[in-house]
Amino acid sequence: MKGFARREFQLVLLRRMADYQPDLVAGAVRSLGSSRTEMREVNARWQRIVRSRTFPPGRRRHEAVLGPPAGTREQRIGDVVCEAAWWPPFALWPDLRFEILVAPDGSVLHEWLVRADDATAPEVRGVGDLEPWCCVVGDLERWFGDVRHHPGEVPSRWHAGFTTADGESYVAHFVWGLLQQVVSVG
């Protein structure tokens, strides 16, 4: 799509992360050779695109921006067989890939960053090691086991409740699947 590719898509992802981590986002925007103004403009353009009746829906929307997926697989959710499609890592997050979950009717059910199959997750010994942008939702599940998932206020946000071995409860806040903050809830 003319003027909108992987770099601009990263700016769209960053726009929502700025609500939680403005300093990290500012550094990432600079590393892309961009500005906050361009990030806002790109995000506004993306919002117009996704609401357009003429832009392709479903997986084709992402293909128009990111190119063909690097891979796909069947993913079963209960009795429903969906398709997971993913794209190679972005410059900002070299160990992560962008993945979408596509329903049988072709609509995108979920989209987020996930750990690439060949990437190693950082070592986490406890909650103190959970720094912003250090992990994705799947990493949290591997480290803390019984994680309770809750969709966020907007589609890009996700919350995951978990309890540590010492009985402390926390909620991890994610944007596009990437950890933004962890809050103690008792």
Side-chain angles (χ1 to χ4, degrees), residues 22-45:
D23 293 338
L24 283 175
V25 167
V29 167
R30 280 191 304 277
S31 77
L32 292 173
S34 186
S35 66
R36 290 185 71 81
T37 300
E38 182 187 12
M39 179 180 65
R40 286 190 298 272
E41 290 169 353
V42 165
N43 188 65
R45 183 174 179 211

Side-chain angles (χ1 to χ4, degrees), residues 77-186:
I77 301 173
D79 292 338
V80 179
V81 177
C82 297
E83 176 192 57
W86 61 88
W87 285 264
F90 294 116
L92 290 176
W93 305 289
D95 290 340
L96 307 178
R97 63 185 191 203
F98 189 75
E99 182 177 276
I100 63 172
L101 186 61
V102 183
D105 68 0
S107 63
V108 174
L109 299 174
H110 196 66
E111 51 189 313
W112 59 3
L113 294 163
V114 298
R115 178 101 23 225
D117 290 338
D118 60 349
T120 303
E123 187 175 327
V124 169
R125 292 184 201 99
V127 174
D129 294 332
L130 293 176
E131 297 179 4
W133 295 15
C134 77
C135 70
V136 294
V137 174
D139 295 334
L140 192 74
E141 291 173 337
R142 284 188 288 281
W143 296 325
F144 294 100
D146 186 27
V147 174
R148 299 162 308 279
H149 296 281
H150 310 282
E153 313 75 45
V154 294
S156 59
R157 294 187 183 175
W158 194 261
H159 307 298
F162 64 100
T163 304
T164 59
D166 60 5
E168 292 294 317
S169 294
Y170 296 87
V171 173
H173 298 265
F174 294 86
V175 174
W176 297 115
L178 189 61
L179 180 67
Q180 301 299 310
Q181 71 178 15
V182 177
V183 178
S184 173
V185 291

